[in-house]
């Protein structure tokens, strides 16, 4: 089984190459707006849209006219990718399974006061390759690249983007996943909260570094300076650049933290269980806390890393109660978010709220996987006569129930 992954690298273009990259980004934005306006015009005329085949044909026909001569300067494969992106955005907005809005026009350079456009090229006939510390991009040339890791396979596409004043390329490559493990020796449930980013049922936890909160004082100072500058002046642009750089530093700190935590979780056990959180809904009443905690980023990164290692990733239902349940007698409790420790009303055991929730998530995930027949509980031969038995699971075939099997 293969999985397509993206790897980001920093590039350092020359002034001439940078001007051309900005120009190509504006071409991609202009083509998107052009195709979208044509779709809206056609919908007003006969209540229909045209998709990728008709868009690609329209791009080819427009190159003849002098007004659209800039399409000849643009890479043809990148222009087709813009049409494919708009085609996918239109289809996702119509789909009931995807909660995605109708595509909108991309804002121009003069309104945004910065050029953070992007474009994507396809590796046709090995036109995108890395040689002698430089990546070759069609119609741009060889751009110096900071290659901090080796390539795992051939490059499929490259996306060039200016983010927070730095040029980056995102290379997509196919990675071979490890074969699924037949015998799974461990299962761990994880609870995500505001105080500790992740708390595991095995006692492992990570504190929330709160990157935004640590930089909030400096952010306020720069924002006050920006408000006192004359808009559009040189000093205003310099202060705006400092603010943009600081926001980029915060986002990179969050991304690095999410990668470190998800990597540790994926390597810790064979079965990972999380709860399905409504992150978008939580952002409406406490957006800074949720964004600083990178809740959605950790779960999505953990999922693909577990699949690469051949393990099982599972999420319990969104409306399944996991907090306030005693992990000894399973007695439920009700209390506010300020209570971090509680004594069970039934057995009297004093326990941490987050650890109890993680163990409840583990038990629920185990029951879900066994009920659906995805895994079965097994008893190893070495533990048959032992009084203490560890949890060992085995991948079950379709139609096999939860009966016990003999493990090798």
């Amino acid at each position: 089984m293969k999985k397509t992954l993206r790897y980001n690298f920093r590039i350092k273009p020359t002034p001439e190459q940078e001007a051309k990259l900005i120009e190509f980004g504006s071409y991609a934005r202009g083509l998107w707006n052009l195709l979208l306006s044509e779709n809206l015009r056609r919908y007003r005329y006969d209540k229909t849209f045209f998709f990728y085949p008709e868009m690609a044909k329209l791009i080819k026909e427009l190159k003849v006219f002098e007004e659209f001569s800039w399409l000849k300067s643009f890479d043809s494969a990148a222009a087709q990718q813009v049409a494919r992106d708009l085609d996918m955005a239109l289809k996702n907005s119509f789909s009931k399974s995807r909660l995605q809005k109708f595509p909108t026009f991309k804002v121009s350079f003069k309104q945004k006061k910065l050029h953070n456009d992007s474009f994507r090229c396809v590796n046709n006939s090995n036109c995108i390759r890395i040689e002698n510390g430089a990546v070759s991009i069609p119609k741009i040339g060889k751009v110096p690249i900071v290659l901090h890791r080796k390539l795992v396979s051939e490059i499929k596409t490259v996306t060039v983007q200016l983010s927070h004043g730095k040029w980056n390329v995102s290379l997509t490559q196919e990675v071979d996943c490890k074969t699924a493990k037949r015998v799974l020796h461990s299962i761990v449930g994880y609870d995500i909260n505001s105080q500790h980013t992740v708390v595991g049922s095995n006692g492992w936890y990570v504190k929330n570094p709160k990157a935004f909160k640590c930089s909030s004082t400096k952010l306020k100072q720069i924002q006050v300076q920006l408000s006192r500058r004359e808009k559009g002046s040189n000093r205003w642009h310099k202060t705006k650049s400092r603010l943009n750089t600081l926001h980029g530093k915060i986002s990179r700190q969050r991304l690095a933290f999410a990668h470190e935590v998800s990597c540790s979780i994926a390597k810790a056990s064979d079965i990972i269980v999380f709860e399905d959180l409504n992150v978008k809904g939580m952002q409406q009443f406490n957006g800074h806390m949720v964004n600083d905690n990178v809740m959605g980023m950790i779960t999505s990164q953990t999922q693909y890393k577990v699949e690469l290692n051949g393990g099982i990733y599972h999420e319990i239902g969104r409306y399944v109660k996991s907090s306030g349940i005693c992990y000894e007698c399973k007695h439920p409790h009700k209390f506010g978010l300020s209570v971090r420790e509680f004594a069970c009303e039934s057995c009297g055991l004093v326990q941490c709220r987050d650890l109890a929730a993680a163990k409840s998530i583990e038990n629920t995930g185990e029951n879900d996987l066994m009920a659906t027949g995805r895994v079965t509980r097994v008893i190893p031969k070495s533990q048959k006569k032992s009084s203490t038995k560890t949890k060992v699971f085995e991948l079950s075939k379709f139609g096999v129930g939860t009966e016990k099997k003999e493990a090798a």
Side-chain angles (χ1 to χ4, degrees):
M1 178 182 171
K2 290 188 176 182
K3 203 172 189 65
T4 303
L5 300 181
R6 292 186 305 145
Y7 296 94
N8 298 327
F9 299 92
R10 181 74 56 81
I11 58 173
K12 297 181 178 179
T14 61
E16 295 79 10
Q17 291 174 338
E18 187 174 7
K20 215 163 188 179
L21 290 173
I22 295 172
E23 187 179 345
F24 272 35
S26 63
Y27 288 164
R29 169 172 36 85
L31 184 58
W32 170 282
N33 292 339
L34 174 65
L35 294 175
L36 182 57
S37 64
E38 287 297 313
N39 262 296
L40 295 176
R41 183 188 60 80
R42 180 168 176 175
Y43 182 77
R44 285 194 294 266
Y45 178 70
D46 58 359
K47 302 297 180 182
T48 59
F49 293 99
F50 63 100
F51 297 97
Y52 172 72
E54 294 169 300
M55 289 185 201
K57 185 179 178 181
L58 177 63
I59 294 172
K60 189 176 180 180
E61 293 173 351
L62 289 176
K63 289 182 179 180
V64 182
F65 298 97
E66 187 179 352
E67 294 83 358
F68 299 99
S69 58
W70 52 272
L71 287 173
K72 296 180 181 179
S73 304
F74 194 33
D75 181 35
S76 59
Q80 291 175 2
Q81 291 302 307
V82 174
R84 289 184 186 275
D85 290 343
L86 182 57
D87 176 83
M88 186 62 65
L90 288 170
K91 290 178 180 178
N92 288 340
S93 63
F94 304 146
S95 176
K96 293 183 179 179
S97 59
R98 297 289 296 270
L99 298 176
Q100 189 168 326
K101 294 182 179 180
F102 190 81
T104 57
F105 292 101
K106 294 185 178 180
V107 187
S108 67
F109 165 73
K110 290 184 178 180
Q111 289 176 323
K112 294 176 75 173
K113 298 293 189 298
L114 71 159
H115 39 76
N116 57 352
D117 299 314
S118 63
F119 64 94
R120 184 170 69 253
C121 300
V122 183
N123 190 8
N124 296 323
S125 303
N126 199 25
C127 63
I128 302 171
R129 57 190 180 276
I130 295 178
E131 294 176 346
N132 302 325
V135 56
S136 60
I137 303 174
K139 294 195 175 182
I140 299 292
K142 293 183 178 181
V143 184
I145 184 173
V146 182
L147 203 65
H148 61 270
R149 63 181 299 165
K150 294 182 179 179
L151 301 181
V152 294
S153 63
E154 292 184 357
I155 301 171
K156 296 184 67 177
T157 63
V158 58
T159 303
V160 185
Q161 183 179 18
L162 177 66
S163 177
H164 303 290
K166 304 290 183 181
W167 285 100
N168 301 304
V169 291
S170 180
L171 308 178
T172 58
Q173 303 172 71
E174 283 190 347
V175 182
D176 291 324
C177 299
K178 294 181 180 178
T179 55
K181 298 177 181 178
R182 299 300 306 175
V183 179
L184 307 158
H185 295 278
S186 56
I187 177 172
V188 181
Y190 291 94
D191 175 61
I192 298 178
N193 55 74
S194 58
Q195 186 176 6
H196 299 95
T197 301
V198 174
V199 178
S201 58
N202 55 357
W204 183 80
Y205 68 94
V206 179
K207 286 189 175 181
N208 186 358
K210 298 181 180 179
F212 183 83
K213 190 174 181 180
C214 293
S215 303
S216 59
T217 304
K218 195 171 183 179
L219 273 173
K220 289 178 182 177
Q221 292 175 354
I222 299 176
Q223 285 170 346
V224 169
Q225 292 176 6
L226 184 66
S227 65
R228 294 174 179 174
R229 303 281 189 257
E230 183 181 352
K231 193 170 183 180
S233 63
N234 290 333
R235 297 182 72 187
W236 183 88
H237 281 294
K238 288 181 181 179
T239 311
K240 185 78 172 177
S241 177
R242 287 175 57 202
L243 184 64
N244 193 20
T245 303
L246 185 56
H247 276 296
K249 179 183 177 182
I250 294 170
S251 67
R252 289 191 297 271
Q253 286 175 341
R254 289 174 175 173
L255 182 62
F257 173 70
H259 273 295
E260 291 172 4
V261 173
S262 59
C263 223
S264 301
I265 292 173
K267 293 178 180 178
S269 59
D270 296 334
I271 304 177
I272 308 294
V273 184
F274 273 92
E275 55 183 340
D276 182 17
L277 293 174
N278 184 13
V279 178
K280 191 173 182 180
M282 295 170 67
Q283 286 177 340
Q284 294 179 359
F285 67 89
N286 202 343
H288 285 307
M289 182 272 293
V290 175
N291 291 334
D292 231 6
N293 209 12
V294 291
M295 295 180 176
M297 197 182 297
I298 287 178
T299 53
S300 60
Q301 289 185 1
T302 303
Q303 182 175 3
Y304 86 82
K305 289 177 182 178
V306 170
E307 292 173 355
L308 285 177
N309 294 333
I312 293 178
Y313 177 87
H314 179 70
E315 287 186 355
I316 65 173
R318 180 171 294 183
Y319 303 104
V320 177
K321 181 175 175 60
S322 61
S323 182
I325 299 177
C326 176
Y327 58 80
E328 285 292 334
C329 62
K330 315 300 180 196
H331 182 74
H333 302 78
K334 286 185 178 181
F335 37 73
L337 292 173
S338 59
V339 179
R340 308 315 302 177
E341 288 187 357
F342 67 95
C344 180
E345 299 173 354
S346 178
C347 63
L349 179 66
V350 179
Q351 50 199 301
C352 174
R353 172 190 182 138
D354 303 327
L355 182 60
K359 292 190 176 184
S360 174
I361 292 170
E362 177 191 340
N363 294 330
T364 307
E366 179 184 343
N367 295 334
D368 289 348
L369 291 171
M370 293 179 68
T372 55
R374 193 173 177 184
V375 298
T376 56
R377 183 78 179 271
V378 297
I379 301 176
K381 288 181 179 179
S382 58
Q383 297 181 7
K384 279 190 174 181
K385 296 181 180 180
S386 176
S387 58
T388 59
K389 293 180 174 58
T390 58
K391 288 185 177 181
V392 180
F393 301 89
E394 186 178 273
L395 281 180
S396 62
K397 297 180 181 178
F398 182 76
V400 177
T402 57
E403 66 272 14
K404 294 183 179 179
K405 292 184 177 182
E406 188 176 66

